């Protein structure tokens, strides 16, 4: 028995196998051209041209206000002639659509700058149209600040969903976690008359809901979606029950308003436009920046993140290298619940409001949507949440200055976009492989 | 499944005298009993009532007052607690089943009819959700489908002028169609693109909410001439007729619910379409290999399920509410999910679960009116029941009942786990991806 | 390192998977554990690897008693395992996969990627593996994935390496490479436990052979034993390794595939102009390493995958535009590759599984409603013909053993009026008795004059059944050769070598297994 033949022989086999090499050319030829995006661009550009441009009253002007009262450097307001402005933006969009079509036909790939720039132009054209000849300013800073504010619970919720699902636990209970966080934050802040105590307490409420979720999921292998749905009902029931009893019986003690103070960061908060938006915020928002940034690093570059992803993708493989799957899932889901609870605090102490029944109002589901649209990545989820916050903010601003577009349509937008996303319109959405599958050892 | 049976079979064969044998027979009986889903359900309800009682006690001012001097007079605390719970739960019972304190016999039996009134939309929508569960699809979109059903039914109900029978029929069909379209969106998207139905239906719930809010602001839709976000009442000709005369709200919707229950049973157990539904629910790959058109069946599941939810919304509007407002669906959509879960996705089970939860709602109203206990406690009871029935081992642990493999000792439990692991190990499914 | 088991017993409920197992593996020894599917080999190895805890018995390493509470402990003690289904995460890079669980970290738990990559490169260099540390697992061919698994074990200084059916996914030539690696490891003092049910391999590779049957050690053997001896030891009775069959009497062409081209979901060509003709009364086997288009071929024929070009002709009718149901109804009998995912519905009763692809046909239904009593009667009748052991036909099929489930599938497909029989891996995971039964049944079907197409990655099965063999490589039919073609030739063809060259090369260079065969014959 000798094995010295082996190496040469294998080499021989490989060299003679040339005729069966991958047939890239044929593959490229046979693959259907992806017309989906170019056509979408073209349709949106045409919409922009026909509606935003030609429906703008001729001679009208759209006014943008870029400054707030307290700015260090006050920027002047910008007046844009509506028709011309929308026309230019629409033509730019058309040009980009044409480029996209050309590149698709030639199978050339385009960078991510195209959709981003296209989106910006489309939104601007829309704002010009919406504000055309209204005689009112479009308050850009308010618009952006509102977008960030509305995004805060969404971002916390999306980060919660992400940490849970990356370790294999589907979390439909984000809504309940936000609500529980809002409730406990309000009650604790009121009882100790300190918003900061409320902020400290909120994560525990979210973590408790997360703990229940993962307990049923890991110990009893109950379908995680079911548990999530039922937990939402449970939290709504509990908080509403307590609200109608204890909190209303003695609202001075249990449900008095407390607000986290704004902490402007010296220097940074003076920057025009983005300064007041980003750096004149409460500690909760700064915490959010930290959490998003930390997750962005840790999920992909740390031991914790690697193990979390392993457990979410292939728990048995993780088990064979000595990773404790149930413990990882429990820890991460509880941690995630804490993040969502913190986000819930935004509804009460973050805004200086008392607790109200069902005050999370479906935000947990938008957070879920943001996480999916962001493809389980902290950065993507952040952008998606901001997009959703922005569309809601636009709706709110426009409803105050009067607008041709019903605000309900804008409020629907996050949900519609998410449906398109999961239907594979925005590329393939690939959740963690073992998501929702109980690991039975 | 097989292993549980095996264990049960050889358990009574334990060696020993007659006494031991009798004892083991008793054990066997207890174990059999603790296996039964009926027992688990019953015990879950008991636990939920206990949880509810604790909540009521914790928030009751009178009880709180007695805790102040608990150590001086503990009896006061227990007596007050007892009275509070008795009052609350007897109000719940009297509101749901039979009110022995009522002035007239009519009034006394009215609660049970109210229970049925509440149960109608729960049963119909619960059946819609159950069809999805049996076919492996988690339809979380009951809420949206109910809203659409109610909206369509309402619009047909007041915007058209038609003869008595036809008008009602058209309104019901319209409602079912509305729900079917809403469910169908999720179904067709899942069939065509594989879009996860859980996400899509959740999103559709919220879209439905805003769609309804928008519609209620449109004058062509509400036809009331006022700015109130509430639509005109449906014509008499489109209302589900009462079954018991004045003083009772029970309407023909309950007949609809019974018919739907029978229909769903036939569909799932006897029809070829139901065979396809169950097949794709259990194993879509094998179904596809056997020539079943999986996309078509997938879409049909959600269309039919959505239709039933829509019908539930329509029956709720045409039989109870008559006017369409923004809160028409209340928490019906999520209640329907709990109903289907409690009914274990079986038609009869869903029917009975719908009656139970309808009863909780009806009783909750009286409990709120008479004892000031907020009706939100019904949500707590409902969710606790459903969480518990989903985790039978937990219920058994609470009541110290034996596990399926005998006593509740831990080594045995671990062995069972190992065994499950072995079975799982024999199925290469999850790891298959790697080699592809 | 010396590994010793004393009286290890592992039970699952009332079922004893391992019964008082004694086993000693000397340092630097390649020890084969031979047994049928379901004999308890994998359970034993998972016990050694700490995935299961044994009810009784002891595990000793270098004469020291050890207990493992999980795989982590076993790895710590120097045991490495390459599972039959790789424990790799498709979306991880090679580096990430190798370091998982043993990550080199800097401050705050941040991973030191440079260090991790260096470790992978170091081990690859030591054994001459060509593995890109930054490649994604899902992009790697199966052979390379296996090497990643070996790197994983070696990076943790495994002194005892367990390989669970490592050759199942390899060509004979790739198997050769693996054998070389195993010998290299043996030289460096690593003990190797090698699990298999393939008789040829053990004889060529192992230093010592332990045979396990129904959870018990039934004997030790030396590599010099004949295949027949090993087989009877493994099965517990005299076995005929080859199924008796008359020579084929091929009629005219009953089924043919012309220029069939199929794209994968990602747009890659997975079947490239495939041409096959099968005569009535003939068995054509498609051989090849898993993942070279055979699965797609079967799926394209049944209609589970759509073809971009070509024709599929059965008795003169082109099936290409038909859906699955229409194709089944026009006379294809199909046994899918993966029984548990594609063949049966576990929660359904035996009866329901029996009518799975005819539930809406006469006489089982009128198109709208089903007829339960008719279904049941037919199921009872047919299933007894196929010797299925079961309680009643109203039990869920998941209560049956794998072999009996496969018999139900065969009963379902063959009790219809079929004009073409297609089976993919018809005996995967079955015990020898069931394999014999399945093979006999297929040959009977052939003798009735049905054209049969059998896809199999097991060369034993191919040699056993085939009247002709078509070898596939990367979606192309490399060649069609007679049923008794030498295995070395088939192996080369499975690596893409054209027929004539394969014959020429095989004459000059024998594989280790091929040489072992010849030695055994002389």
């Amino acid at each position: 028995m000798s094995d010295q033949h082996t190496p040469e022989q294998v080499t021989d086999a490989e060299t003679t196998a040339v005729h069966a090499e991958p047939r890239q050319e044929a593959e490229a030829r046979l693959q259907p051209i992806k017309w989906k995006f170019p056509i979408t661009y073209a349709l949106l550009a045409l919409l922009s041209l026909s509606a935003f441009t030609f429906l703008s009253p001729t001679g009208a002007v759209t006014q943008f206000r870029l400054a707030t009262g307290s700015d260090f450097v006050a920027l002047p307001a910008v007046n844009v002639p509506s028709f011309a402005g929308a026309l230019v933006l629409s033509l730019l969009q058309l040009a980009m659509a044409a480029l996209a079509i050309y590149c698709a036909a030639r199978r050339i790939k385009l960078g991510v700058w195209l959709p981003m720039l296209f989106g910006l132009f489309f939104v601007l054209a829309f704002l010009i149209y919406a504000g055309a000849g209204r005689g009112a300013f479009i308050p850009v800073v308010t618009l952006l600040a509102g977008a960030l504010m509305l995004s805060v619970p969404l971002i916390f919720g999306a980060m919660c969903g992400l940490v849970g699902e990356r370790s294999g636990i589907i979390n439909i209970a984000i809504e309940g976690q936000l609500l529980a966080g809002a409730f406990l934050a309000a009650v604790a802040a009121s009882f100790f008359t300190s918003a900061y105590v409320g902020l400290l307490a909120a994560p525990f409420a979210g973590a408790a809901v997360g703990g229940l979720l993962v307990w049923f999921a890991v110990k009893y292998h109950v379908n995680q979606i079911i548990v999530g749905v039922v937990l939402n009902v449970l939290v709504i029931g509990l908080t509403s029950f307590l609200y109608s009893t204890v909190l209303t019986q003695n609202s001075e003690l249990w449900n008095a308003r407390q607000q986290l103070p704004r902490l402007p960061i010296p220097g940074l908060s003076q920057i025009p436009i983005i300064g007041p938006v980003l750096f004149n915020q409460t500690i909760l928002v700064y915490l959010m920046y930290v959490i998003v940034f930390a997750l962005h690093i840790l999920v992909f570059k740390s031991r914790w993140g690697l193990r979390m992803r392993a457990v979410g993708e292939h728990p048995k493989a993780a088990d064979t290298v000595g990773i404790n799957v149930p413990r990882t899932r429990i820890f991460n889901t509880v941690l995630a619940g804490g993040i969502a609870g913190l986000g819930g605090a935004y509804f009460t102490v973050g805004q200086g409001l008392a607790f109200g029944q069902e005050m999370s109002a479906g935000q947990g589901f938008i957070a879920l949507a943001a996480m999916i649209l962001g493809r389980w990545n902290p950065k993507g989820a952040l952008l998606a949440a901001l997009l959703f916050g922005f569309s809601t903010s636009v709706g709110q601003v426009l409803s105050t200055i009067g607008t041709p577009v019903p605000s309900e349509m804008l409020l629907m937008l996050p949900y519609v976009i998410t449906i398109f996303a999961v239907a594979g319109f925005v590329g393939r959405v690939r959740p963690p492989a073992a998501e929702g599958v109980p690991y039975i050892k | 499944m097989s292993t549980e049976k095996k264990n049960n079979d050889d358990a009574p064969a334990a060696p020993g005298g007659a006494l031991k044998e009798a004892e083991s027979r008793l054990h066997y009986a207890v174990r059999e009993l603790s296996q039964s889903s009926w027992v688990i359900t019953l015990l879950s309800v008991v636990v939920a009532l206990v949880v509810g009682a604790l909540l009521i006690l914790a928030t009751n001012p009178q009880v709180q007052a007695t805790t102040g001097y608990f150590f001086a007079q503990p009896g006061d605390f227990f007596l007050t607690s007892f009275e509070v719970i008795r009052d609350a739960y007897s109000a719940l019972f009297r509101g749901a089943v039979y009110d022995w304190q009522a002035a007239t016999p009519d009034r006394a039996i009215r609660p049970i009819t109210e229970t049925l009134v509440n149960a109608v939309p729960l049963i119909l929508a619960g059946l819609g959700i159950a069809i999805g569960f049996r076919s492996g699809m988690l339809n979380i979109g009951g809420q949206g489908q109910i809203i659409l059903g109610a909206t369509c039914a309402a619009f047909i109900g007041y915007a058209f002028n038609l003869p008595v029978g036809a008008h009602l029929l058209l309104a019901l069909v319209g409602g079912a169609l509305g729900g079917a379209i809403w469910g169908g969106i999720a179904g067709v998207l899942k069939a065509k693109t594989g879009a996860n139905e859980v996400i899509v239906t959740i999103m559709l719930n919220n879209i439905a909410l805003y769609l309804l809010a928008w519609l209620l602001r449109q004058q062509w839709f509400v036809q009331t001439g006022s700015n109130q976000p509430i639509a005109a009442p449906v014509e008499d000709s489109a209302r589900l007729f009462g079954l018991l005369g004045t003083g009772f709200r029970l309407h023909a919707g309950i007949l609809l619910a019974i018919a739907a229950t029978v229909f769903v049973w036939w569909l799932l157990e006897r029809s070829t379409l139901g065979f396809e539904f169950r097949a794709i629910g259990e194993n879509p790959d094998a179904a596809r290999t056997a020539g079943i058109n999986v996309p078509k069946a997938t879409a049909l599941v959600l269309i039919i399920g959505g239709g039933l939810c829509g019908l539930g919304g329509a029956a709720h509007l045409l039989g109870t509410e008559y006017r369409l407002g923004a809160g028409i669906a209340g928490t019906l959509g999520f209640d329907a999910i709990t109903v289907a879960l409690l009914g274990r996705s079986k038609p009869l089970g869903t029917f009975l679960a719908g009656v139970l939860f309808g009863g909780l709602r009806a009783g909750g109203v009286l409990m709120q009116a008479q004892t000031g206990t907020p009706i939100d406690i019904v949500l707590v009871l409902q969710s606790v029941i459903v969480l518990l029935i989903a985790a039978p081992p937990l219920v058994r642990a609470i009541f110290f009942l034996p596990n399926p493999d005998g006593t509740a000792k831990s080594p045995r439990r671990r062995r069972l786990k190992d065994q499950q692991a072995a079975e799982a190990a024999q199925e290469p499914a999850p790891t298959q991806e790697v080699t592809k | 390192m010396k590994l010793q088991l004393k009286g290890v017993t592992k039970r699952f409920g009332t079922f004893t998977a391992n019964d008082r197992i004694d086993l000693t593996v000397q340092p630097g020894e390649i020890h084969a554990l031979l047994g049928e599917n379901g004999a308890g080999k994998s359970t034993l190895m998972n016990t050694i690897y700490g995935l299961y805890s044994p009810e009784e018995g002891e595990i000793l390493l270098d004469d020291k008693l050890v207990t493992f509470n999980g795989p982590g402990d076993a790895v710590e003690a120097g045991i490495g395992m390459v599972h039959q289904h790789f424990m790799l995460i498709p979306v991880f890079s090679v580096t990430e996969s190798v370091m998982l669980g043993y990550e080199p970290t800097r401050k705050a738990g941040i991973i030191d990627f440079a260090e991790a990559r260096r470790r992978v490169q170091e081990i690859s260099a030591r054994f001459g593996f060509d593995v890109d540390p930054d490649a994604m697992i899902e992009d790697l061919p199966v052979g390379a994935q296996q090497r990643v698994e070996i790197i994983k074990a070696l990076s943790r200084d495994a002194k005892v390496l367990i390989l669970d059916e490592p050759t199942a996914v390899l060509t004979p030539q790739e198997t050769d490479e693996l054998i070389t690696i195993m010998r290299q490891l043996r030289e460096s003092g690593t003990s190797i436990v090698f699990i298999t049910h393939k008789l040829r391999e053990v004889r060529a590779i192992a230093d010592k052979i332990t045979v396990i049957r129904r959870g018990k050690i039934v004997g030790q053997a030396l590599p010099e034993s004949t295949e027949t001896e090993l087989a009877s030891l493994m099965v517990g009775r005299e076995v005929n390794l080859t199924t008796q069959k008359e020579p084929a009497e091929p009629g005219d062409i009953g089924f043919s595939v012309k220029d069939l081209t199929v794209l994968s979901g990602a747009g890659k060509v997975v079947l490239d102009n495939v041409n096959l003709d099968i005569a009535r009364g003939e068995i054509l086997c498609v051989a090849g390493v898993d993942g070279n288009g055979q699965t797609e071929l079967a799926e394209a024929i049944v209609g589970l995958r759509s073809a971009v070009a070509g024709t599929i002709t059965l008795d003169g009718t082109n099936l290409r535009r038909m859906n699955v149901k229409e194709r089944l109804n026009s006379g294809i009998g199909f046994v899918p590759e993966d029984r548990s995912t594609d063949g049966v519905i576990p929660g359904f009763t035996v009866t329901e599984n029996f009518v799975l692809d005819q539930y809406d046909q006469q006489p089982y239904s009128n198109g709208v409603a089903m007829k339960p009593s008719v279904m049941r009667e037919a199921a009872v009748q047919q299933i007894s013909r196929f010797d299925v052991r079961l309680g009643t036909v109203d039990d869920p099929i998941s209560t049956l053993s794998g072999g009996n489930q496969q018999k139900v599938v065969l009963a379902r497909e063959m009790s219809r009026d079929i004009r073409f029989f297609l089976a993919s891996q018809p005996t995967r995971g079955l015990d020898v008795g069931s394999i014999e039964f399945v093979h006999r049944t297929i040959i009977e079907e052939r003798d009735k004059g049905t054209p049969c197409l059998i896809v199999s990655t097991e060369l034993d099965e191919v040699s056993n059944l085939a009247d002709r063999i078509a070898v596939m490589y990367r979606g192309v039919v490399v060649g069609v050769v007679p049923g008794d073609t030498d295995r070395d030739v088939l192996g080369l063809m499975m690596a893409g070598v054209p027929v004539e060259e394969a014959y020429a090369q095989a004459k000059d260079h024998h594989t280790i297994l091929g040489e072992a065969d010849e030695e055994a014959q002389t």
Side-chain angles (χ1 to χ4, degrees), chain A residues 6 9 16 19-23 27 31 301-303 306-307 309-310 313-314 317 319-322 430 441, chain C residues 49 51 71 83 87-89 91 96 100-101 103 105 109 111 138 156 176 267 269 272 474 476 496 501 509:
Chain A
T6 322
Q9 191 176 345
T16 46
H19 75 282
E21 278 301 292
R23 298 139 295 240
E27 276 164 14
Q31 264 184 47
K301 299 264 185 269
S302 78
R303 178 203 313 239
L306 187 77
R307 293 184 173 191
R309 288 187 288 132
E313 292 285 345
H314 193 340
D319 193 10
T320 58
V321 294
R430 183 176 183 175
K441 192 190 159 183
Chain C
Y49 192 61
L51 276 166
H83 293 80
M87 291 297 155
L88 295 171
I89 293 153
V91 295
E96 285 178 322
L100 183 66
E103 306 85 355
T105 53
I111 293 167
E138 60 187 350
R156 278 139 219 183
D176 257 21
V269 173
D272 189 2
R474 288 194 178 172
V476 176
E501 265 178 75
H509 306 291

Side-chain angles (χ1 to χ4, degrees), chain B residues 10 266 270-272 275-276 278-279 282-283 285-286 288-292 414-415 418-419 422 425 428 431 434, chain C residues 10 12-13 52-53 55 85 88 145 304 324-325 334 340-342 344-345 347-348 352 357 359 367-370:
Chain B
D10 46 51
W266 176 85
R270 285 290 177 271
S271 75
T272 52
F275 187 85
E276 296 182 2
R278 288 185 293 124
E282 291 262 355
N283 185 346
D285 292 322
R288 201 166 97 87
T289 309
I292 291 171
R414 196 172 74 190
R415 242 174 267 163
D418 279 0
Q419 179 175 359
T431 48
V434 185
Chain C
K10 176 75 210 160
F12 296 120
Y52 300 151
S53 47
E55 268 75 39
H85 304 287
L88 295 171
Q145 290 187 11
L304 292 167
V324 180
K325 182 164 283 181
F334 177 52
S340 57
T341 60
D342 298 333
V344 300
I345 297 184
F348 274 24
E352 284 173 318
D357 51 13
Y359 64 93
V368 180
M370 320 238 303

Side-chain angles (χ1 to χ4, degrees), chain B residues 317-331:
Chain B
L317 187 110
L318 300 173
T320 318
E321 296 286 327
Y322 306 134
R323 294 190 78 166
L324 182 70
I328 182 71
T331 58

Side-chain angles (χ1 to χ4, degrees), chain C residues 391-407:
Chain C
T392 81
V393 289
D394 305 320
D395 290 339
I397 199 161
S398 55
T399 58
L400 271 55
S401 72
N404 281 318
Q405 290 186 18
Q406 188 73 334
K407 286 179 192 168

Side-chain angles (χ1 to χ4, degrees), chain A residues 21-37:
Chain A
E21 278 301 292
R23 298 139 295 240
Q24 269 128 0
E25 252 178 69
E27 276 164 14
R29 192 165 29 76
L30 284 165
Q31 264 184 47
I33 293 176
K34 298 195 178 79
W35 288 115
K36 205 162 55 184
F37 285 111

